Amino acid sequence: MASMTFTTTLSRLQATKSAVVVRNRIFVAPSPRPNFQASRRYGAMATRDEAAKLGRDASKNMDAAKKSAKNEAAAAADNVVQTTKDMAGKVSETAQDAAGKVKQTAQDAWGTVKDTTQKIKDTVVGKAEATADSAKETIRDEAAKVERKMNHN
């Protein structure tokens, strides 16, 4: 029985690398060295219940993140729609302003054409009247000359 206990203890010491058997001699380390690589590699181990709870929490967090992403995407889409509507309204206003300016410019040009035409008409009629008056005067003068010559002879 004692040898069995010794063998079990020796096996445990060898597993923790605290004891080494060389040529039927046992060398035991003063205290077992912790295996830092194993703890760094695998981290802390959790029980099944803890792991299940962590999984549920992670699932809830994922659902919340999905909802948040959907809400943000919807808000961004609404923002794009509103911005597009605003821009369309501004374009419409600008087009109406431009149409109003074109109409006003056309009316101003038409008014200028009418004024210029009236001035030309007045000038031509005035010159025609002056020419007619001048022609009448010239005809009277010439008629008077002819009458004088006929009366002198």
Side-chain angles (χ1 to χ4, degrees):
M1 196 76 176
S3 67
M4 187 182 251
T5 305
F6 177 72
T7 307
T8 305
T9 304
L10 183 60
S11 296
R12 286 184 186 164
L13 288 173
Q14 285 179 333
T16 61
K17 298 185 181 180
S18 299
V20 178
V21 178
V22 178
R23 294 186 192 172
N24 294 331
R25 291 190 178 177
I26 299 173
F27 296 97
V28 178
S31 65
R33 291 177 33 200
N35 190 354
F36 290 112
Q37 288 180 341
S39 65
R40 282 189 205 140
R41 184 179 300 150
Y42 300 110
M45 299 299 285
T47 64
R48 183 179 298 177
D49 293 336
E50 290 172 336
K53 184 178 183 299
L54 290 173
R56 283 191 302 272
D57 291 345
S59 177
K60 287 178 186 176
N61 289 340
M62 289 291 285
D63 289 342
K66 285 180 186 177
K67 286 179 184 176
S68 176
K70 285 180 183 178
N71 290 341
E72 288 179 18
D78 289 343
N79 189 19
V80 168
V81 168
Q82 187 60 42
T83 302
T84 303
K85 286 180 181 178
D86 293 345
M87 292 303 293
K90 288 179 183 178
V91 167
S92 176
E93 289 174 10
T94 303
Q96 288 175 352
D97 290 346
K101 288 178 182 178
V102 167
K103 180 180 176 183
Q104 185 62 43
T105 302
Q107 287 175 345
D108 292 346
W110 180 247
T112 303
V113 167
K114 287 193 322 188
D115 290 346
T116 304
T117 304
Q118 186 62 40
K119 286 179 185 176
I120 291 171
K121 179 181 169 186
D122 292 344
T123 303
V124 169
V125 169
K127 285 185 179 180
E129 287 176 356
T131 303
D133 289 344
S134 176
K136 286 181 188 176
E137 189 106 7
T138 304
I139 291 172
R140 283 187 199 140
D141 288 344
E142 292 300 321
K145 282 183 190 175
V146 169
E147 196 176 315
R148 274 185 273 156
K149 282 188 182 183
M150 285 173 64
N151 285 339
H152 257 2
N153 282 342

